[in-house]
Amino acid sequence: MPGSLWARMKADPQYAPEHLALEAVRRIGPEARRWAQRVREDQPGISTDDLAQQASRRFLNHARFSGAVSGATGLPGAVVDVGVLAWTQARMVLHIAAAYGADPAGAERATDLLVLQRVHKAAETARLALGVAAGRERASRLFAGAADRPLTGVMLKLGVKLAQMAGVHAAKRMFAKLVPGAGMVLGTWANSTATKDLARRARELYGAAGSTP
């Protein structure tokens, strides 16, 4: 995950999921589009469902081990874990979108991410929140004084928002990591379960749209 994104989310933890979604579409969207084009060239005739399954498997493997071998401990380590997981999940969704022919770099994909990851229940509220986050991103002066906040409070709020984005199982994992020995045991299972559920929802959304390359 880009360091600039971490800094932005720590400065504005309330809108951390929105900042992550916007950055993911900017950075990962073009990458996902290139990936889908390359696979279709290498595997002529591959179906959209098979291509989407490839994306799901690829990032599910990444998610299983994200955080499992992290050396960071305590609250900062837990926040890093769920942040990496949320970023990995965003990459997966955008690659699934590309598999079904939806533009992974399109602005609407940020809305899709927030609804699929259940940060917002409806697309309209997700769009409103993204607009607020984009405005706060541009108006960097609004972040002045963020460094003066108690670090523990900022990290806790950031962790809660990212855990919400990564899934309820990820939230359990984050807090389990605060108990010595518990995080490693829970990590792989929690990450896998949350990401599998998200992959299913993404395939249903983009598959039902009937998009074709």
Side-chain angles (χ1 to χ4, degrees):
M1 185 186 297
S4 58
L5 175 59
W6 274 115
R8 196 179 311 134
M9 292 192 301
K10 282 193 287 186
D12 193 25
Q14 179 63 30
Y15 286 92
E18 287 79 10
H19 289 302
L20 190 149
L22 289 167
E23 188 74 7
V25 171
R26 280 194 294 261
R27 286 179 176 261
I28 301 168
E31 168 197 313
R33 187 194 295 129
R34 290 191 297 270
W35 167 81
Q37 291 171 345
R38 185 173 64 252
V39 175
R40 289 188 184 107
E41 290 170 0
D42 293 343
Q43 302 176 44
I46 188 172
S47 70
T48 52
D49 286 335
D50 286 343
L51 190 57
Q53 287 285 359
Q54 281 192 28
S56 299
R57 287 194 297 269
R58 173 185 174 186
F59 291 103
L60 179 59
N61 287 333
H62 290 181
R64 282 195 181 108
F65 299 104
S66 67
V69 294
S70 172
T73 58
L75 181 58
V79 174
V80 168
D81 282 0
V82 292
V84 170
L85 177 57
W87 183 255
T88 299
Q89 290 177 343
R91 293 181 69 197
M92 179 186 71
V93 169
L94 294 175
H95 280 69
I96 290 174
Y100 283 108
D103 182 5
E108 194 64 15
R109 298 294 81 77
T111 301
D112 293 348
L113 282 172
L114 294 177
V115 174
L116 284 167
Q117 292 180 284
R118 295 175 173 169
V119 176
H120 295 285
K121 292 182 179 180
E124 186 59 33
T125 55
R127 291 188 195 99
L128 289 172
L130 286 165
V132 172
R136 291 161 77 93
E137 180 181 323
R138 288 190 295 268
S140 59
R141 63 182 181 278
L142 295 179
F143 297 155
D148 298 328
R149 303 177 199 169
L151 182 59
T152 300
V154 169
M155 292 299 284
L156 183 59
K157 189 171 186 178
L158 176 57
V160 168
K161 296 299 289 187
L162 290 175
Q164 176 193 5
M165 187 177 196
V168 65
H169 299 299
K172 292 178 181 177
R173 159 147 172 68
M174 186 185 83
F175 290 107
K177 185 159 186 176
L178 301 181
V179 179
M184 183 69 75
V185 174
L186 185 59
T188 300
W189 173 83
N191 289 3
S192 176
T193 301
T195 307
K196 276 183 180 177
D197 289 345
L198 177 61
R200 174 184 52 78
R201 295 195 297 273
R203 289 196 302 271
E204 289 174 354
L205 173 67
Y206 294 116
S211 299
T212 56

